[in-house]
Amino acid sequence: MSDDRRDRRWPIAVAIGLGVVIVVNLVFIYIAVSGRDEIVPSYQTERR
């Protein structure tokens, strides 16, 4: 394998790894937001 191809391989691997991390974080955000409890209106309007 030439040095030129080897030099181009690691930035692509880093970009793919970063993409996987972003997708996993988006899945976690979706799960957290979709399973949230409803907030009763009095919690937002009444004085605490």
Side-chain angles (χ1 to χ4, degrees):
M1 186 181 277
S2 69
D3 286 337
D4 197 29
R5 279 186 78 190
R6 202 174 316 159
D7 287 343
R8 278 188 263 153
R9 184 181 291 177
W10 73 265
I12 294 171
V14 169
I16 291 172
L18 182 61
V20 169
V21 168
I22 291 171
V23 168
V24 168
N25 282 327
L26 289 174
V27 170
F28 285 152
I29 291 169
Y30 174 76
I31 290 170
V33 170
S34 66
R36 67 182 188 268
D37 293 334
E38 292 294 323
I39 298 174
V40 293
S42 62
Y43 180 78
Q44 298 172 348
T45 57
E46 289 183 10
R47 188 172 177 193
R48 293 187 189 114

